[in-house]
Amino acid sequence: MSDRDAPVDERKEDEDWRKTRLRGKAIKEVGIFWPYILIPIHIITLKPLFFYLKTVITEFFLLQFKVKWGWKKISVVQVSDVIDTEIPFLPEKSDIYLDFINFWIRSLNFTVLRLGRKKALPHLASFMAAIGTAYHEAARVYKITMSTTPRPVAGNHKNMKTIHRLDPHLLCVPSLHVGVVVLTHTFFTHVFRKEGLSQEEQEQYSKELWDGAVEITETVLYVKQHSVNCIPAALYMMTHLLKDQFTIQDATNFIDCLFVDSSHIPAQQGQTIRNHIHYMYDRLLLEGCNEEDWIVPVLRWLMTQPVTSL
């Protein structure tokens, strides 16, 4: 018997049990178990999973390694800004940077625990389709023009050595780190509202995901994996991919939260960073308002940047 066929009182009892079980817990506390078990075995999640994995392997990893090894020719431009030099290199924040994948997997896991497996599965499928689309759309830019930034040497830091070894660092604009954390917050905030979670729960979980997305976005600059120029392009991409769910006002609010409470960036410098990201985001909006394809203003800007050699 499905959840839908169960008596109303029984369904409410099950709902109350799940809510009570998770009361007071943060999404970060629930782990990552269920998505790895459920997504590969259910027909509605298997297809979007395959699309996501195929896109990540062929249009993200293999694409840039082919260029790095000289098997494919795509121009690579330098997209750094003088502002980047004033942001400290903090390799100790690499744990936050590397938590990027678990950030969205934990959200999937929480959805299973909070809603129940059968009710959660369509949301898992929709999210896998959405994240696959984000990678595919970003790759439309990468296949025409790749981009990079200067990276300090990894030194003896284990995480940074791993990052430098596995990431050729040729796909900076738009930043998929930023795009995916924005997608995660937006998608699950919408799910929690749609599924009728209490206002208290919605506010708690939405804030947690928002704060996590802001923290990871700041970290891509601290570990020198991106430039301030990579962030607005990602926000612009998500404005188009998520349409009414992630609005221009949402992107503006997100930018306004960056480096506000940082102990590593002076207040004036934080404002300079935010002003620059606002300017670049507004520029993409204005240049793209008469374009049918969101990648046009991004590519137009990339083509003004200096070509670099590998």
Side-chain angles (χ1 to χ4, degrees):
M1 181 169 63
S2 70
D3 288 349
R4 292 180 183 274
D5 296 329
V8 173
D9 289 345
E10 185 178 322
R11 293 202 306 268
K12 186 178 187 306
E13 183 178 333
D14 188 46
E15 160 78 10
D16 290 343
W17 179 82
R18 286 194 296 268
K19 181 177 179 180
T20 301
R21 180 188 178 196
L22 294 171
R23 181 173 290 129
K25 287 190 176 182
I27 294 174
K28 197 167 187 177
E29 298 178 77
V30 302
I32 58 174
F33 176 75
W34 281 112
Y36 287 104
I37 301 299
L38 295 176
I39 293 176
I41 65 172
H42 283 274
I43 189 66
I44 66 169
T45 51
L46 192 56
K47 183 177 179 180
L49 172 64
F50 177 78
F51 170 62
Y52 165 71
L53 292 176
K54 177 178 178 290
T55 303
V56 170
I57 292 169
T58 61
E59 298 186 344
F60 187 79
F61 285 110
L62 286 181
L63 178 64
Q64 57 183 325
F65 273 108
K66 284 179 181 179
V67 172
K68 179 182 178 180
W69 294 333
W71 297 353
K72 190 176 184 68
K73 296 294 183 183
I74 298 177
S75 64
V76 180
V77 299
Q78 181 64 245
V79 293
S80 61
D81 190 275
V82 65
I83 296 174
D84 297 316
T85 62
E86 300 178 26
I87 299 173
F89 175 48
L90 301 175
E92 62 269 24
K93 286 188 174 288
S94 56
D95 284 338
I96 299 171
Y97 177 83
L98 292 172
D99 194 49
F100 148 76
I101 294 177
N102 282 340
F103 179 71
W104 57 264
I105 293 179
R106 282 194 300 266
S107 301
L108 292 172
N109 194 57
F110 177 83
T111 302
V112 175
L113 294 174
R114 181 61 183 82
L115 301 181
R117 281 172 279 180
K118 290 184 178 179
K119 188 181 286 189
L121 275 170
H123 298 306
L124 269 59
S126 295
F127 183 82
M128 296 309 301
I131 193 173
T133 297
Y135 271 83
H136 178 69
E137 284 292 306
R140 294 176 58 224
V141 174
Y142 305 151
K143 289 175 182 178
I144 298 173
T145 306
M146 290 188 173
S147 47
T148 190
T149 64
R151 294 195 294 188
V153 295
N156 294 322
H157 199 281
K158 182 179 178 181
N159 282 351
M160 295 309 302
K161 283 183 176 180
T162 300
I163 292 169
H164 286 199
R165 183 168 58 251
L166 299 179
D167 180 12
H169 193 53
L170 300 177
L171 309 181
C172 287
V173 172
S175 165
L176 275 167
H177 251 71
V178 176
V180 170
V181 296
V182 165
L183 167 64
T184 301
H185 168 267
T186 304
F187 182 91
F188 289 102
T189 295
H190 177 74
V191 168
F192 299 153
R193 185 185 306 118
K194 179 180 179 181
E195 292 295 345
L197 270 65
S198 68
Q199 190 64 31
E200 180 184 0
E201 289 178 288
Q202 290 184 45
E203 291 175 0
Q204 174 189 340
Y205 302 134
S206 181
K207 183 179 186 305
E208 179 185 348
L209 293 175
W210 179 274
D211 291 345
V214 168
E215 182 180 39
I216 290 173
T217 298
E218 292 174 347
T219 303
V220 304
L221 300 181
Y222 282 134
V223 299
K224 302 298 180 178
Q225 281 293 106
H226 282 290
S227 162
V228 291
N229 290 324
C230 307
I231 296 173
L235 296 177
Y236 178 68
M237 175 178 74
M238 300 317 295
T239 304
H240 282 264
L241 297 189
L242 295 174
K243 301 188 184 299
D244 295 336
Q245 291 186 33
F246 183 71
T247 65
I248 294 172
Q249 187 59 56
D250 292 327
T252 299
N253 294 342
F254 189 81
I255 297 168
D256 284 338
C257 289
L258 296 173
F259 300 104
V260 171
D261 299 318
S262 174
S263 59
H264 307 286
I265 301 287
Q268 183 176 355
Q269 182 60 20
Q271 189 60 58
T272 298
I273 294 170
R274 291 189 293 275
N275 288 345
H276 179 83
I277 296 173
H278 275 303
Y279 165 75
M280 289 296 296
Y281 178 71
D282 290 346
R283 174 176 173 175
L284 292 171
L285 285 174
L286 289 171
E287 293 188 9
C289 64
N290 291 321
E291 303 291 349
E292 294 184 359
D293 195 336
W294 73 269
I295 74 172
V296 173
V298 176
L299 289 172
R300 186 181 296 131
W301 179 79
L302 284 171
M303 290 175 185
T304 67
Q305 304 309 298
V307 176
T308 188
S309 58
L310 300 181

